[in-house]
Amino acid sequence: MLEKPSYLFVGAGRLARHLCAYFDLLEISYRRWSRQDKISFARATSGCDSIVLCIPDDAIESFIHQEAPALNHKPAWVHCSGNLSTPLAQSAHPLMTFGQNLMTLKEYRSIPFITEAGRADFKTIFPELDNPTYEVKAELKNFYHAWCVLAGNFSTMLWQSFFDTCEKRFDIPRTAAFPYLEKVTQQLQHDTNPLSGPLARGDKNTIKEHLDSLEGEPFKDVYAAFVKTFTALESKEPSHAKH
Ligand SMILES: NC(=O)c1ccc[n+]([C@@H]2O[C@H](COP(=O)([O-])OP(=O)(O)OC[C@H]3O[C@@H](n4cnc5c(N)ncnc54)[C@H](OP(=O)(O)O)[C@@H]3O)[C@@H](O)[C@H]2O)c1
């Protein structure tokens, strides 16, 4: 049985809030510190075995360099970035998006955590948690995280802009588009060929008219890039065109 560490979560943003909620649901004790707090970081860490950094990727290494020398003990440093690989800290990246609404215990338990191959495994970092866990090699972390951002963040930008366009340009409430989004999600999970539409059908004239209609819009380049990417995928793997 692995020894249970005492945790300090650093940060007051999205991830810190959700990890604390998960720990609350499991009744695992922890402390929390952010740079807005009155007490010093060194004092907050006293007695903590594991410091879990929930701060921007770019701040992680400088934070450890700045704070570690002043500590009179040697805690385990953990970060949650999917992109960063550093000898200064272990990592566990939750393959999930964290928004305003907290989740249920079942949802938190189903989040996969991705650790770095050859470094501390998930059970060593968080012995109390039973989440699914996978490893990614250090040299593939940038590629892995680029895909997380493409899939999760960029599709969010698309849908958010579509909802805004429905409301502002067509006077259609955003909720009217929710069943469409839900079906796209379901088909992605359950259909072998979820892609429909003019790219899948090869409706070249429709695609040209779409591009013309998007003249001057920020998303015109995105549409054109998808057409180019679809053509590249087709030459590699023709199944993308089936519908
Ligand atoms: N959000 C997600 O969906 C998600 C998913 C997977 C992994 N992650 C990872 O989780 C980590 C945190 O992301 P987040 O989305 O929670 O960020 P966030 O909501 O922007 O919160 C960042 C927090 O870090 C603090 N902070 C910023 N710079 C700092 C510094 N130099 N020193 C100390 N504290 C600093 C901020 O404090 P102030 O309020 O004082 O600015 C804020 O409390 C990142 O490594 C990210 O890659 C996030």
Side-chain angles (χ1 to χ4, degrees):
M1 175 97 176
L2 290 157
E3 207 172 307
K4 291 172 185 158
S6 53
Y7 300 94
L8 176 74
F9 291 107
V10 176
R14 288 170 180 240
L15 182 68
R17 196 168 153 261
H18 280 268
L19 284 182
C20 290
Y22 186 19
F23 274 49
D24 285 341
L25 288 165
L26 289 172
E27 299 182 353
I28 304 170
S29 66
Y30 62 87
R31 273 189 248 157
R32 195 169 167 176
W33 180 88
S34 91
R35 60 184 176 178
Q36 315 292 345
D37 291 351
K38 295 229 160 48
I39 75 160
S40 71
F41 178 72
R43 250 186 88 193
T45 59
S46 132
C48 285
D49 309 309
S50 181
I51 299 176
V52 183
L53 297 173
C54 304
I55 63 177
D57 297 9
D58 290 354
I60 291 166
E61 288 184 300
S62 54
F63 186 90
I64 300 171
H65 276 305
Q66 190 184 308
E67 300 294 345
L71 303 184
N72 52 19
H73 69 307
K74 288 211 179 305
W77 293 88
V78 176
H79 73 79
C80 300
S81 162
N83 192 60
L84 178 72
S85 172
T86 171
L88 300 177
Q90 303 294 345
S91 68
H93 174 246
L95 180 48
M96 182 46 67
T97 174
F98 298 99
Q100 283 168 355
N101 295 320
L102 295 176
M103 301 180 202
T104 63
L105 181 55
K106 192 174 169 217
E107 286 172 316
Y108 284 126
R109 276 192 165 132
S110 72
I111 297 172
F113 277 80
I114 314 302
T115 58
E116 201 174 301
R119 305 286 301 275
D121 63 14
F122 184 63
K123 255 305 176 217
T124 305
I125 296 171
F126 293 117
E128 298 93 335
L129 306 186
D130 288 318
N131 293 62
T133 178
Y134 303 88
E135 288 182 342
V136 167
K137 289 180 187 162
E139 62 269 28
L140 288 178
K141 284 188 87 171
N142 298 155
F143 181 66
Y144 156 75
H145 196 248
W147 267 105
C148 297
V149 169
L150 275 168
N153 302 148
F154 292 174
S155 63
T156 300
M157 284 174 71
L158 277 175
W159 281 102
Q160 207 173 16
S161 300
F162 178 51
F163 294 153
D164 287 348
T165 303
C166 282
E167 287 190 332
K168 291 184 187 138
R169 302 283 294 273
F170 307 115
D171 214 9
I172 297 171
R174 62 183 49 222
T175 49
F178 289 1
Y180 181 28
L181 172 58
E182 275 155 28
K183 194 49 76 183
V184 167
T185 309
Q186 278 172 18
Q187 287 184 181
L188 274 167
Q189 291 180 72
H190 304 296
D191 285 14
T192 42
N193 284 306
L195 188 67
S196 63
L199 285 171
R201 283 190 298 270
D203 278 339
K204 291 200 174 63
N205 194 46
T206 301
I207 293 166
K208 190 192 165 299
E209 286 173 349
H210 287 173
L211 285 166
D212 290 347
S213 80
L214 287 165
E215 200 53 58
E217 299 271 333
F219 275 92
K220 179 176 180 173
D221 290 345
V222 176
Y223 195 121
F226 268 106
V227 175
K228 201 173 156 197
T229 304
F230 181 81
T231 310
L233 285 172
E234 270 303 274
S235 59
K236 251 174 95 174
E237 200 182 327
S239 65
H240 268 85
K242 289 194 189 123
H243 55 99

